[in-house]
Amino acid sequence: MPLVTIIALCYNHARFLEAALDSILAQTYPHLEVVLVDDASTDGSADILRRYAAQNPGWQLLLLPENQNNCRAFNRGLALSKGEFVIDFATDDVLLPERITRQVAAFEQAGPRCGVVYTDAELLDESGRFVRHYYRRDAHGRLHPRPASGFVFADVLERYFISTPTMLMRRATLDTLGGYDESLSYEDFDFWVRASRDWEFQFLDIISTQKHLHPRSKSAKSYRRHDPHLASTIVVCRKALALCRTPEERAALVVRVRWELRQALRHRSRPEARALYQLLGELGAVGAVDWGLFKVLG
């Protein structure tokens, strides 16, 4: 039975933390390694983590003296771990009890070239009330469209469709990438692009995770002026350009760059808009509408 590592990343998650850690203890999968990483929280989270670590002697605890950001904090935890499979677990989320058991089984069925198994999630408000599922379904519960599986490189360039908190990652995939890119302000888009180039992703149609939506999350602040998210996205898009092998993949990247350019223009992020417009030009895809919007807003 393969060892699964949960790298539990905490930054000021005190109000959600006990529920998150209890959900680790509730897992039906028996062969777990837990690494708790606190990224210099200021809200008492460290005291809760110390208590759980003392109650569970097999858990490792890493209290970072200064805030590192998610990419560096995760890599610090990864360096301490040994699991064949890894979960990047934000401790304002909750793992449902059967999650790891079912995802490990999906990996066994998918084969050795599968690098990621991901699922659907429940999205909750700050009070824990259900808002919606991550994926939209019809009256019969069918997904439209069904999330992509297999070699999904072009898919991840064109659109966001993976529920990041639900991912179980093969350690070999992370190792070949050197972990997360610590120069970036966020991790998921870069990981999807680099990992999907050579590894398969598989969608498992279950609900495995509960994710809280709250205004302090990184996603809630994306695209605001001076937020580093968009600058990191441009770096990833340039990585993607170097990895593209077919006209279809370049066309998918055009869709992404054009969408990001629209966001930069809408939020008056002028340096980022110029960089994206230049990249769109390198892709040979500047159209009349792109030129007009850039001249008016950029």
Side-chain angles (χ1 to χ4, degrees):
M1 187 173 289
L3 180 65
V4 175
T5 297
I6 300 173
I7 300 176
L9 297 179
C10 178
Y11 178 65
N12 288 345
H13 290 161
R15 68 177 293 189
F16 305 110
L17 190 50
E18 292 186 353
L21 299 179
D22 287 343
S23 78
I24 296 175
L25 295 171
Q27 288 300 298
T28 60
Y29 191 81
H31 198 29
L32 296 178
E33 175 187 57
V34 179
V35 181
L36 307 175
V37 183
D38 184 73
D39 199 10
S41 293
T42 58
D43 66 346
S45 292
D47 292 334
I48 299 172
L49 291 168
R50 288 189 188 95
R51 172 159 54 85
Y52 273 80
Q55 293 169 352
N56 299 277
W59 292 14
Q60 300 180 70
L61 175 60
L62 177 60
L63 301 176
L64 299 175
E66 296 179 351
N67 186 263
Q68 306 270 306
N69 91 22
N70 187 72
C71 295
R72 292 189 186 93
F74 175 84
N75 284 346
R76 293 286 299 276
L78 184 65
L80 298 176
S81 69
K82 300 175 181 176
E84 182 178 345
F85 299 103
V86 179
I87 294 175
D88 176 352
F89 179 43
T91 53
D92 53 349
D93 297 335
V94 169
L95 309 174
L96 298 182
E98 293 286 331
R99 169 177 169 165
I100 297 174
T101 297
R102 298 190 66 177
Q103 286 186 299
V104 169
F107 261 110
E108 292 173 351
Q109 184 175 3
R113 291 311 305 165
C114 180
V116 174
V117 171
Y118 70 101
T119 78
D120 201 353
E122 290 182 349
L123 305 183
L124 312 178
D125 66 16
E126 286 194 90
S127 300
R129 292 187 296 264
F130 175 79
V131 177
R132 62 178 176 87
H133 292 114
Y134 186 84
Y135 298 108
R136 301 191 183 280
R137 299 171 184 265
D138 65 19
H140 302 286
R142 293 182 296 244
L143 294 156
H144 295 288
R146 186 175 177 83
S149 288
F151 287 104
V152 299
F153 179 74
D155 298 275
V156 301
L157 294 185
E158 192 170 66
R159 62 193 177 94
Y160 291 128
F161 65 92
I162 296 169
S163 176
T164 303
T166 72
M167 294 193 305
L168 180 63
M169 299 173 283
R170 189 183 294 275
R171 185 191 192 86
T173 304
L174 283 161
D175 287 345
T176 58
L177 303 180
Y180 291 161
D181 183 344
E182 297 183 6
S183 71
L184 302 177
S185 68
Y186 71 104
E187 75 292 339
D188 48 11
F189 182 38
D190 179 65
F191 172 78
W192 300 335
V193 168
R194 294 191 294 142
S196 65
R197 177 71 282 175
D198 296 309
W199 295 85
E200 295 183 21
F201 285 38
Q202 293 294 328
F203 174 67
L204 176 63
D205 192 2
I206 64 170
I207 296 167
S208 72
T209 307
Q210 294 176 327
K211 175 179 175 56
H212 284 96
L213 303 172
H214 52 82
R216 295 177 301 281
S217 67
K218 283 180 177 287
S219 59
K221 296 183 290 186
S222 300
Y223 301 109
R224 295 180 186 175
R225 294 185 69 183
H226 310 302
D227 185 85
H229 177 101
L230 188 53
S232 290
T233 298
I234 296 168
V235 171
V236 179
C237 286
R238 289 207 162 273
K239 290 185 186 183
L241 177 58
L243 292 172
C244 284
R245 297 172 184 167
T246 68
E248 292 76 17
E249 291 170 354
R250 288 175 65 92
L253 181 57
V254 167
V255 173
R256 164 66 51 198
V257 173
R258 182 169 283 130
W259 189 88
E260 299 292 348
L261 174 60
R262 298 292 194 274
Q263 306 313 306
L265 292 172
R266 184 162 67 91
H267 290 88
R268 298 292 196 273
S269 299
R270 288 181 173 82
E272 292 81 6
R274 286 192 291 272
L276 288 160
Y277 187 80
Q278 179 181 345
L279 181 53
L280 200 61
E282 292 173 30
L283 286 160
V286 174
V289 174
D290 304 312
W291 182 87
L293 285 173
F294 183 73
K295 288 301 180 182
V296 171
L297 300 175

